[in-house]
Amino acid sequence: MQSAEVGHASRDLLEWGAPLIIDRINEHYFTLLRAHPDVARPLAQYHYRMWKFLLDGHADEAASLRRELVNLARLAGCAESDLDDVDRLVLVELMQVVMARFNRSPTVACDYSLTLVDAASGLAHARLVAA
């Protein structure tokens, strides 16, 4: 169960991180499926929704979306490793922002880091369930 501070950090991280997450996901899918933007768009939207659930601490909902995302990705000709690649990009981007922006506020940086650890754990759960 999340503490109140980590719960607040989760909501806050989702608020300022949403544009970063969307940018990373869109860049990945629109590059990967350059010739098919009509296919890239729904994949990117599903993937972002999954990340919203992860950051909100809803691992089961994220797992359900991950399962759908894997199926959609396969239909689009993408490998599951393509999904893992974009998840890694999102995590790295968010971690870099936390480290750079909040290095003078150790408590805040810790709360955001714990949120990212929880998201990574939820992502691992989602990957297992979707497999």
Side-chain angles (χ1 to χ4, degrees):
M1 177 156 253
Q2 292 183 336
S3 71
E5 293 83 14
V6 174
H8 175 73
S10 175
R11 287 185 301 277
D12 197 32
L13 192 149
L14 185 56
E15 183 178 322
W16 62 254
L20 301 172
I21 297 166
I22 291 167
D23 284 349
R24 282 298 139 250
I25 291 172
N26 281 340
E27 178 182 14
H28 180 76
Y29 284 112
F30 282 90
T31 300
L32 187 64
L33 299 164
R34 185 175 295 118
H36 305 285
D38 55 320
V39 175
R41 181 167 283 106
L43 282 172
Q45 290 170 335
Y46 264 82
H47 213 131
Y48 172 67
R49 286 181 52 218
M50 184 193 76
W51 268 96
K52 280 181 62 175
F53 281 126
L54 287 172
L55 291 173
D56 275 340
H58 300 289
D60 291 335
E61 289 88 344
S64 178
L65 271 175
R66 176 71 179 209
R67 193 175 312 115
E68 292 177 43
L69 185 59
V70 166
N71 291 331
L72 287 172
R74 284 184 186 139
L75 290 173
C78 298
E80 198 165 338
S81 61
D82 294 322
L83 305 179
D84 296 338
D85 290 345
V86 73
D87 289 330
R88 200 169 294 107
L89 290 170
V90 168
L91 277 171
V92 167
E93 176 89 13
L94 294 174
M95 286 189 309
Q96 288 175 338
V97 170
V98 167
M99 290 172 17
R101 173 66 179 92
F102 301 100
N103 63 351
R104 294 178 191 251
S105 303
T107 302
V108 174
C110 182
D111 290 344
Y112 285 140
S113 296
L114 289 173
T115 296
L116 291 174
V117 167
D118 288 344
S121 175
L123 181 59
H125 169 74
R127 289 175 66 199
L128 286 173
V129 169

